Amino acid sequence: MGNIGILGSGRVATVLANKLAGAGRAVTIGTRDPAQAALKWSGGRVDFRDHAETARLAAIVINATPGDTSVERLGALRDALKGKILVDVSNATVRGRDGLPGSLLYPNDSVAERLQAALPETAVVKTLNTMLFTVMADPTSLRAAPTAFLSGNDEGAKAVVGRLLGDLGWPADWIEDLGDIETARGPEAVALLVPSVLRRRGLAPFAVALAR
């Protein structure tokens, strides 16, 4: 699977980096100030680089940047991301007055589709955006089995991302391949539920599940 790069250094990046490093994967976190981020890090063994070098060195890159700025940020890394798999876990929403997600930023398409259009030589795969960030790397913590949805145009890339989800603790039968990148619109629309859930339940772990 090679080196895994994670763009971003917030809560999502921290949870994913710790779980993947614990699974024996070589992980690099891309951040604007690698030296400062390394000083503050208290998790598993990871490397720190700037965004461009992280993308260049990685075989798989996880987008853990804010969804409302992801297209601009990653579009600037087009050359470094050429030939790579980009795992997009972001949601692009307009911030509400209380700081929680509001309306969809791209109501007629999705951030995943826009990333794929901006990065035509990169295989974009959407996943893990329908849950609280803690569940991304600890799906068995919930009382009911959650679902990790996959959307992407490249079948081989989705197979690789499925194995990556396995490293994060996801059983294969909890993963649902929805189809091409346009199908990311459904999972991204789940962000409209999040403000109500968070206001009523706080940061208690939750996820969307496809019941069969």
Side-chain angles (χ1 to χ4, degrees), residues 98-161:
D98 56 1
L100 293 176
S103 59
L104 298 176
L105 186 61
Y106 307 123
N108 299 315
D109 56 0
S110 63
V111 62
E113 289 173 85
R114 297 207 174 200
L115 284 169
Q116 187 62 85
L119 304 164
E121 296 180 275
T122 302
V124 178
V125 179
K126 187 79 180 191
T127 194
L128 295 182
N129 69 302
T130 56
M131 61 201 70
L132 191 71
F133 67 95
T134 57
V135 181
M136 294 178 176
D138 193 12
T140 59
S141 64
L142 300 181
R143 290 194 295 269
T147 303
F149 299 100
L150 288 179
S151 299
N153 295 336
D154 189 307
E155 296 299 322
K158 285 191 287 186
V160 171
V161 174

Side-chain angles (χ1 to χ4, degrees), residues 67-211:
D68 57 350
T69 61
S70 289
V71 176
E72 180 181 1
R73 290 184 193 217
L74 275 66
L77 302 175
R78 179 170 174 168
D79 290 342
L81 289 169
K82 182 178 179 180
K84 309 295 176 67
I85 295 173
L86 177 65
V87 184
D88 178 36
V89 302
S90 71
N91 282 313
T93 58
V94 177
R95 289 288 175 185
R97 285 179 296 178
D98 56 1
L100 293 176
S103 59
L104 298 176
L105 186 61
Y106 307 123
N108 299 315
D109 56 0
S110 63
V111 62
E113 289 173 85
R114 297 207 174 200
L115 284 169
Q116 187 62 85
L119 304 164
E121 296 180 275
T122 302
V124 178
V125 179
K126 187 79 180 191
T127 194
L128 295 182
N129 69 302
T130 56
M131 61 201 70
L132 191 71
F133 67 95
T134 57
V135 181
M136 294 178 176
D138 193 12
T140 59
S141 64
L142 300 181
R143 290 194 295 269
T147 303
F149 299 100
L150 288 179
S151 299
N153 295 336
D154 189 307
E155 296 299 322
K158 285 191 287 186
V160 171
V161 174
R163 294 195 293 274
L164 182 70
L165 292 178
D167 282 347
L168 291 169
W170 288 86
D173 59 352
W174 292 8
I175 301 170
E176 186 75 18
D177 186 344
L178 297 178
D180 66 20
I181 200 66
E182 287 189 5
T183 66
R185 298 178 188 187
E188 288 195 21
V190 170
L192 296 176
L193 294 173
V194 171
S196 299
V197 173
L198 292 181
R199 289 186 186 108
R200 290 183 65 85
R201 297 182 176 273
L203 288 175
F206 69 90
V208 170
L210 181 64

